[in-house]
Amino acid sequence: MAKTTVEGGGGLPAAAKEAAELKRELQRAVKAVVEDDDYSLEVTDRAMQCLCALKELKLKPLNSNPLDIRSLSLSLPIPPHEFVCPLSGQLMKDPVVLASGQTYDRPFIQKWLKDGHRTCPETKQVLSHSVLTPNHLVRKMISQWCQKHGIELPGPSHDENQDIITNADRDHLNSLLEMLSSSKVPEQKKAAKEVRVLTKQMPSLRAVFGECNDAITKLLNPLLSGNVNTHPDLQEDLVTTVLNISIHDSNKKLVAENPVALPFLIESLKFGTLETRSNSAAALFTLSALDSNKHIIAKVGALKPLIDLLNEGQPLAMKDAASAIFNLSIVHENKGRAVAEGAIKVIMKKIRGRVLIDELLAILALLSSHHKAIEEMGELGAVSCLLSIINEDTSDRNKENCIAILYTMCYNDRTKLREIWLDESVNGTISSLAQSGTSRAKRKANGILERLDRYVSLVHTT
């Protein structure tokens, strides 16, 4: 069947005729703007409407209804001036504030910076840095305006890799680090706050700390004056900055080997505000991702304050502490340290209270390879606690950790077999897991059942 083409007058396809009319209208509007010094705003609006309509017409499928296109395009509202990016001339989708205070659409100002410009396009002001701060207020106002006029505004797109580090950024950071060496507390606080914000908002700036040998030492200069101990806000900003820069992989070794950094984190972990202690734990967790750092961090005494925070902190702080303890306990020699510092007692207390079960069972499974940990778990009633979790918990991972710990306990302390046997005769906990658990859980459960069979046989023969 032949395809029917919708046409207008003159034998042209309707879309082509529509485009021709729009071009003539645009030509008249542009001519009025160019030739008349006293042209009206209505004329410029009309020119913009024609351009928008032409763009839509170009993008529309060929079989679209031309009348619908025109009625839509020519009635498009003109956005307020403050919603339009000065660089693109278009409605902003992701408004951000430049160091000059001017607002631009993110992709266009990023391209401006990538092209090597170091000034604000509008004010021509030299930029002190190239951090782009989201303008949430303008974004919200644009969204409301779009909703009112039935326009769909695409969501903002963020790309951290597009951060630009300029010489101005480096100079600005260096000036802030120099301010931290000041003897004046207000200057130290101001600099610490700004470095904290910059290292959070501009991830690529974190790498600069690795390029300068003494940058981390300069950051922590206020420690030398003793001001940190009496100014909790300064301490919190410095700790959080250490956390921010530690996220960058190349900085992990530098921070851990700095003679000031780890002692400062541990001191803050002991005596800081709750947020400071939580961020100190998070920094130690981040640093402990590097195997060589696991040894260093434990040797300088981090485990005890981490365990204390786990014992007495709020949920988020406890989670940071647990994550750090888990990482450190991967190293065999640190397991003994953790047990000696009271980790088993605290972990069992939290597990009984059903707090952070996932994280704490994982730590307990790690520590169960240490004989002292097995002894303490037995004394603290771990067998009944772990069996109850297997019965009530739906997490395969938690059941797997529980049965792995029980398996180790059985092989290291035969007295626990009786307790497991008594539960098994009533609840069948191990047998059930041997049937329905993960492959690892099944292996461990069957291993325990084999030992139970031998235990029962021995009991009956004696």
Side-chain angles (χ1 to χ4, degrees):
M1 184 175 180
K3 184 178 179 180
T4 303
T5 303
V6 179
E7 296 185 354
L12 288 173
K17 182 181 178 184
E18 181 73 14
E21 291 177 2
L22 286 169
K23 287 178 182 179
R24 285 194 292 271
E25 182 66 25
L26 176 62
Q27 193 173 31
R28 286 193 291 271
V30 171
K31 183 178 180 181
V33 171
V34 172
E35 295 181 357
D36 187 357
D37 291 337
D38 193 27
Y39 61 87
S40 67
L41 291 177
E42 287 75 10
V43 175
T44 59
D45 288 348
R46 182 60 181 166
M48 292 176 67
Q49 287 174 332
C50 289
L51 284 171
C52 289
L54 283 167
K55 181 179 178 180
E56 281 195 18
L57 194 61
K58 191 76 173 175
L59 294 174
K60 284 284 183 179
L62 291 176
N63 61 350
S64 294
N65 187 331
L67 294 178
D68 290 342
I69 293 173
R70 183 166 190 177
S71 62
L72 172 64
S73 300
L74 295 185
S75 61
L76 281 177
I78 303 300
H81 174 74
E82 59 269 22
F83 296 171
V84 175
C85 175
L87 286 173
S88 68
Q90 300 173 11
L91 186 67
M92 290 187 284
K93 299 178 180 65
D94 189 5
V96 292
V97 181
L98 200 57
S100 61
Q102 300 295 309
T103 296
Y104 299 90
D105 204 0
R106 183 184 293 273
F108 295 97
I109 192 60
Q110 281 180 330
K111 184 178 185 306
W112 170 270
L113 294 171
K114 271 192 169 184
D115 288 343
H117 298 289
R118 298 296 174 255
T119 58
C120 171
E122 286 284 279
T123 66
K124 310 305 178 187
Q125 172 185 340
V126 176
L127 301 173
S128 59
H129 59 80
S130 58
V131 176
L132 303 176
T133 306
N135 194 328
H136 297 297
L137 177 60
V138 170
R139 168 73 187 176
K140 183 177 180 181
M141 292 169 65
I142 291 174
S143 296
Q144 291 172 343
W145 182 85
C146 287
Q147 187 175 10
K148 179 181 177 181
H149 292 89
I151 298 172
E152 184 178 353
L153 183 67
S157 59
H158 298 283
D159 185 358
E160 288 187 352
N161 295 325
Q162 291 185 342
D163 283 339
I164 309 296
I165 299 296
T166 67
N167 289 331
D169 293 327
R170 289 184 170 83
D171 291 343
H172 183 53
L173 178 60
N174 287 330
S175 68
L176 293 172
L177 294 176
E178 292 299 329
M179 282 177 66
L180 286 166
S181 302
S182 168
S183 58
K184 299 177 181 178
V185 176
E187 286 192 9
Q188 290 180 341
K189 287 186 175 184
K190 179 182 177 183
K193 178 67 70 178
E194 190 165 350
V195 174
R196 173 182 177 173
V197 171
L198 287 175
T199 52
K200 178 184 178 181
Q201 292 183 345
M202 201 169 184
S204 50
L205 193 64
R206 300 164 189 165
V208 177
F209 282 83
E211 298 171 4
C212 180
N213 293 332
D214 61 348
I216 296 170
T217 301
K218 284 182 176 180
L219 172 70
L220 300 176
N221 254 322
L223 299 176
L224 303 177
S225 61
N227 291 332
V228 171
N229 295 330
T230 53
H231 294 279
D233 51 342
L234 177 58
Q235 182 182 30
E236 183 184 313
D237 286 335
L238 293 176
V239 163
T240 308
T241 301
V242 173
L243 168 59
N244 291 343
I245 65 177
S246 297
I247 294 170
H248 188 76
D249 287 341
S250 299
N251 290 337
K252 292 185 186 340
K253 186 177 177 65
L254 291 172
V255 173
E257 294 181 352
N258 184 283
V260 179
L262 285 182
F264 169 60
L265 289 177
I266 293 171
E267 187 76 5
S268 301
L269 191 59
K270 293 177 180 177
F271 306 113
T273 63
L274 187 58
E275 184 171 356
T276 297
R277 295 176 73 194
S278 180
N279 286 347
S280 297
L284 291 171
F285 164 65
T286 301
L287 292 169
S288 65
L290 200 64
D291 286 343
S292 60
N293 285 354
K294 291 179 173 67
H295 297 274
I296 300 172
I297 293 169
K299 281 180 181 178
V300 295
L303 277 164
K304 180 62 167 67
L306 283 170
I307 292 167
D308 289 341
L309 182 59
L310 177 62
N311 185 38
E312 62 198 37
Q314 298 299 316
L316 182 58
M318 286 193 292
K319 188 157 187 156
D320 288 329
S323 298
I325 293 168
F326 177 85
N327 262 9
L328 295 174
S329 298
I330 292 172
V331 175
H332 182 71
E333 66 186 64
N334 290 344
K335 295 176 183 179
R337 288 192 176 102
V339 173
E341 297 293 358
I344 301 300
K345 184 177 180 180
V346 172
I347 290 171
M348 287 304 305
K349 171 187 167 185
K350 295 297 179 183
I351 288 178
R352 281 198 199 91
R354 299 305 189 255
V355 176
L356 294 179
I357 290 182
D358 296 14
E359 293 84 353
L360 297 184
L361 282 175
I363 298 174
L364 207 60
L366 271 179
L367 297 180
S368 66
S369 63
H370 194 277
H371 67 282
K372 285 287 186 184
I374 293 295
E375 289 178 14
E376 282 196 46
M377 282 189 273
E379 293 168 1
L380 294 167
V383 171
S384 60
C385 180
L386 295 172
L387 288 170
S388 69
I389 292 173
I390 293 174
N391 282 321
E392 71 185 41
D393 202 307
T394 58
S395 166
D396 285 338
R397 184 187 175 203
N398 288 348
K399 291 180 179 181
E400 196 174 280
N401 281 327
C402 285
I403 198 67
I405 297 166
L406 288 169
Y407 179 87
T408 305
M409 292 184 76
C410 286
Y411 272 76
N412 288 275
D413 185 356
R414 289 186 60 189
T415 64
K416 301 306 171 193
L417 283 169
R418 176 175 172 76
E419 191 175 349
I420 295 175
W421 174 58
L422 290 173
D423 175 88
E424 189 64 16
S425 61
V426 175
N427 300 314
T429 303
I430 308 297
S431 299
S432 176
L433 192 60
Q435 295 294 321
S436 62
T438 64
S439 57
R440 179 170 179 256
K442 287 178 180 178
R443 287 197 306 273
K444 298 294 184 182
N446 282 314
I448 293 175
L449 290 173
E450 289 173 8
R451 287 191 69 84
L452 283 177
D453 286 341
R454 290 197 293 270
Y455 170 78
V456 172
S457 297
L458 183 62
V459 169
H460 286 172
T461 57
T462 56

